[in-house]
Amino acid sequence: MVKNRWVAVAEDRVLKPNDFPTAKSAQISAVNGGFCPFCQGNEAHTPHEITACRPPESAPDGPGWLVRAIPNKFSAFEPEGTLAEKKSGIYRATNGLGRHEVIIETPEHGVEFHELSAERIGLVLGMLKRRYNDLAADGRIKYIQIYKNQGLFAGASLKHTHSQIVGLPFVPAENEGLELYYNEKKSCLLCDIIKQEKEERTRLVHESDSFIALCPYASRFPYEVWIVPLAHQGHFGDLHEDKIMELASLLKDMASVIMNRLEMPSYNLIINTAPVNSGEAAPYHWYMELTPRMVVNAGVEIATGVFINPVSPELAAGILKEALSARK
Ligand SMILES: [Zn+2]
Ligand SMILES: [Zn+2]
């Protein structure tokens, strides 16, 4: 309403203070152990797997897998039914239609995402692509968000490394800048950003055959990095199989540099992509955001939406570029 935002409210759960990610993660790190449903051998403690990378001789929901996709047990969304709007006085609500899945990235506990081999990260990206395309085939889904919460301040509630994919029945407003730019200039904003960044080179961190890593102009978070495919492509689901390993090794490099150079911050990994089942994809160009969470959103960010970034992207790019070349 006032904020012009949709909020997903879980109606049927009562959470105790300790159930919230901050308190829970603090407890997990304090105990440094406890039961983990994502570990190999504990498959019976998760919902039935949707699919997994596993050798043909191993059975679903049993051990032996490499990467495993399961429904999110604590989803705020219901996968069945149709979208229905209900009004309550001046307020608008819909039922929580949507699909929410978890991709467990390794059977091994305690290995962080950036420590996985590039081959394993390639399997994770391949799985995310397949799940994206599967969710996109559901006409009720209009937007698919892939994200990863790494560490306490990024919202991780389980230590075992995993990413999540959520299919929403509406298109969130977060990337509408791409559409506004396209409508005004008849050109893709990300393609134009790539062109300018390759000329200026002040925010460029790395360029591979098919991808560019840069610290975006006026970024919201210190050391925020975007990985963008050089060729125009709207949907992450159209990522070519031949490019997956190149992307996996660049992603591993960038996540490693952030973790090692910045002393293991929490971070989010987000894949922004074109809406699905909603017409025009032309203004969209998918890309990945790596956002270290080194500062907490304070009053000014919450009140005005204006982010205060204490490290300029130009400075951050120089530091990350140097750390990357030291790694090579
Ligand atoms: Zn585990
Ligand atoms: Zn483009």
Side-chain angles (χ1 to χ4, degrees):
M1 294 291 283
V2 176
K3 305 293 184 191
N4 200 19
R5 287 275 184 274
W6 287 99
V7 177
V9 182
E11 284 181 329
D12 50 0
R13 272 187 280 143
V14 180
L15 292 182
K16 300 183 288 294
N18 271 345
D19 291 333
F20 288 87
T22 39
K24 206 167 161 185
S25 303
Q27 270 184 347
I28 290 168
S29 45
V31 177
N32 198 20
F35 180 78
C36 171
F38 291 176
C39 278
Q40 175 152 256
N42 294 343
E43 292 81 4
H45 296 272
T46 69
H48 291 300
E49 76 190 33
I50 300 160
T51 179
C53 302
R54 53 164 73 249
E57 65 274 15
S58 72
D61 292 329
W65 49 277
L66 301 172
V67 175
R68 192 165 177 252
I70 57 170
N72 187 323
K73 200 173 174 178
F74 301 104
S75 175
F77 300 98
E78 286 292 332
E80 304 304 332
T82 49
L83 192 66
E85 189 169 313
K86 52 179 185 222
K87 286 216 164 81
S88 169
I90 58 167
Y91 304 122
R92 280 167 71 206
T94 73
N95 53 335
L97 174 75
R99 290 169 65 179
H100 194 171
E101 302 178 0
V102 173
I103 312 299
I104 311 169
E105 296 158 340
T106 168
E108 236 181 296
H109 195 92
V111 182
E112 305 292 0
F113 179 74
H114 70 286
E115 297 168 331
L116 298 173
S117 66
E119 289 70 26
R120 179 61 58 99
I121 293 176
L123 287 181
V124 171
L125 292 174
M127 175 68 85
L128 288 169
K129 179 190 152 172
R130 288 195 300 282
R131 296 314 307 143
Y132 178 97
N133 287 328
D134 197 45
L135 294 189
D138 181 339
R140 302 168 306 167
I141 301 298
K142 305 298 179 204
Y143 189 77
I144 299 167
Q145 184 68 63
I146 294 169
Y147 64 98
K148 175 177 180 60
N149 303 329
Q150 163 72 42
L152 177 62
F153 298 108
S157 53
L158 264 174
K159 179 146 176 54
H160 194 127
T161 186
H162 64 283
S163 33
Q164 301 185 56
I165 178 164
V166 59
L168 301 171
F170 61 90
V171 181
E174 288 304 316
N175 292 312
E176 70 185 2
L178 291 173
E179 220 171 301
L180 294 172
Y181 185 90
Y182 185 85
N183 291 341
E184 192 190 322
K185 310 244 174 151
K186 298 288 167 253
S187 166
C188 164
L189 174 56
L190 264 293
C191 285
D192 290 355
I193 286 176
I194 293 169
K195 209 187 318 164
Q196 182 162 339
E197 295 300 336
K198 281 171 81 165
E199 277 163 22
E200 285 185 23
R201 306 194 83 77
T202 48
R203 286 170 294 271
L204 200 141
V205 181
H206 187 71
E207 202 181 331
S208 67
D209 290 344
S210 318
F211 300 94
I212 193 170
L214 53 90
C215 292
Y217 182 81
S219 61
R220 292 163 303 166
F221 298 96
Y223 298 96
E224 179 175 340
V225 172
W226 289 7
I227 298 176
V228 189
L230 291 168
H232 181 79
Q233 188 169 56
H235 291 284
F236 171 70
D238 291 334
L239 167 64
H240 199 280
E241 290 295 315
D242 293 351
K243 310 274 187 224
I244 288 182
M245 274 315 300
E246 184 189 337
L247 178 60
S249 76
L250 179 56
L251 178 56
K252 177 178 166 67
D253 279 345
M254 292 318 306
S256 300
V257 159
I258 284 173
M259 287 300 261
N260 299 332
R261 182 65 179 80
L262 307 179
E263 297 177 8
M264 311 292 272
S266 296
Y267 68 87
N268 294 104
L269 169 62
I270 293 164
I271 302 180
N272 290 301
T273 167
V276 294
N277 304 309
S278 12
E280 185 73 295
Y284 293 90
H285 185 135
W286 74 263
Y287 66 101
M288 284 183 175
E289 284 180 25
L290 275 162
T291 50
R293 304 295 300 273
M294 302 166 79
V295 287
V296 176
N297 284 356
V300 67
E301 284 86 2
I302 291 171
T304 65
V306 175
F307 283 74
I308 297 181
N309 180 351
V311 183
S312 77
E314 293 76 15
L315 189 75
I319 290 169
L320 295 176
K321 199 171 165 177
E322 202 179 287
L324 185 66
S325 58
R327 183 181 150 75
K328 296 258 178 205

